[in-house]
Amino acid sequence: DTGVSQNPRHKITKRGQNVTFRCDPISEHNRLYWYRQTLGQGPEFLTYFQNEAQLEKSRLLSDRFSAERPKGSFSTLEIQRTEQGDSAMYLCASSLEGSRGETQYFGPGTRLLVL
Amino acid sequence: SQQGEEDPQALSIQEGENATMNCSYKTSINNLQWYRQNSGRGLVHLILIRSNEREKHSGRLRVTLDTSKKSSSLLITASRAADTASYFCATDMSTHNAGNMLTFGGGTRLMVKP
């Protein structure tokens, strides 16, 4: 399967714990995006990488959130000191830089539940 | 805040009928995209329409874009039970050389009854 993959698919954690999610984009894609989706809502943009550089961060991304893409391939999203409000689906997408309007391909998401 | 708003929020139709979903947005865009999401799954890209296009077709899908009204519609013809899903519009307002960050609406939940 050459699509975007995300691990784990589900994560249950207790409030205050740290969690880390991984995203493996489509191999030739140099752009990678993280979105968050709460129940019944559309996804909201969190952050964006072009190769290894993190170029955009949403105001939604508090200091407890950090994302990396060290070698320009896979990316990790870490949430420190989780809160119940962090419970959501975390979606990763990748695209190939080109003319405006490139299609973003989404992974299956990681569903986080903070107890 | 979300840029796009879908209408209706929920739609229930019989198999074989057509389904129309509308999306309105607030600011100028480069393009508008429609995605489908089955319950608990990731998003599947359906179609992209650029700001200088007015209509686009893909199989049973027809998308229109009216930039003067800042609105778009997605028509699914001859619906099937497998079309049951949530449908989202997403707008790309990115500037030149910036990433294509998408802003999604709240979605339309479509149920197609067999």
Side-chain angles (χ1 to χ4, degrees):
Chain A
D1 190 330
T2 57
V4 178
S5 61
Q6 292 187 245
N7 288 288
R9 295 290 307 277
H10 304 272
K11 180 71 177 178
I12 300 174
T13 191
K14 293 182 179 179
R15 191 175 54 185
Q17 297 293 306
N18 299 345
V19 294
T20 299
F21 310 141
R22 176 176 170 130
C23 170
D24 287 89
I26 294 172
S27 59
E28 64 268 25
H29 285 184
N30 61 335
R31 289 183 166 175
L32 187 148
Y33 305 80
W34 285 99
Y35 293 84
R36 182 173 69 187
Q37 185 179 25
T38 53
L39 202 61
Q41 300 296 315
E44 294 177 294
F45 168 76
L46 291 179
T47 189
Y48 148 70
F49 290 85
Q50 178 148 320
N51 302 309
E52 67 277 6
Q54 188 175 19
L55 298 184
E56 289 285 344
K57 285 169 54 173
S58 162
R59 289 173 297 170
L60 294 174
L61 215 64
S62 76
D63 291 345
R64 298 184 297 105
F65 288 69
S66 62
E68 294 182 343
R69 194 184 184 198
K71 298 181 180 178
S73 56
F74 73 91
S75 175
T76 57
L77 177 68
E78 180 183 18
I79 309 174
Q80 296 181 325
R81 304 181 304 281
T82 52
E83 301 173 355
Q84 288 183 326
D86 297 331
S87 295
M89 174 84 90
Y90 290 84
L91 294 162
C92 175
S94 71
S95 68
L96 182 64
E97 180 184 5
S99 59
R100 288 187 207 171
E102 66 224 25
T103 297
Q104 292 184 24
Y105 295 87
F106 281 80
T110 294
R111 185 173 294 281
L112 173 67
L113 178 61
V114 182
L115 302 176
Chain B
S1 63
Q2 297 188 318
Q3 152 86 317
E5 294 294 334
E6 281 91 341
D7 171 51
Q9 291 187 344
L11 180 61
S12 180
I13 59 174
Q14 292 293 137
E15 203 166 29
E17 293 180 341
N18 295 342
T20 300
M21 289 160 268
N22 302 295
C23 169
S24 60
Y25 57 92
K26 299 173 186 173
T27 60
S28 298
I29 61 173
N30 298 319
N31 63 68
L32 185 144
Q33 305 181 39
W34 285 90
Y35 285 82
R36 184 186 74 211
Q37 185 178 38
N38 290 82
S39 181
R41 303 288 188 91
L43 282 83
V44 174
H45 184 264
L46 295 176
I47 200 164
L48 179 153
I49 187 165
R50 301 186 192 282
S51 58
N52 61 353
E53 296 176 314
R54 292 295 167 260
E55 187 170 313
K56 209 160 182 180
H57 297 256
S58 176
R60 294 184 295 114
L61 306 180
R62 172 178 169 253
V63 168
T64 62
L65 179 65
D66 187 335
T67 52
S68 66
K69 295 181 179 178
K70 293 186 170 57
S71 67
S72 174
S73 68
L74 170 67
L75 169 67
I76 304 174
T77 60
S79 64
R80 307 166 182 168
D83 294 329
T84 294
S86 291
Y87 292 82
F88 295 92
C89 68
T91 51
D92 173 9
M93 300 174 288
S94 56
T95 56
H96 183 62
N97 288 333
N100 299 82
M101 287 78 73
L102 298 177
T103 304
F104 286 83
T108 292
R109 286 142 199 79
L110 174 66
M111 175 175 289
V112 181
K113 294 181 276 189

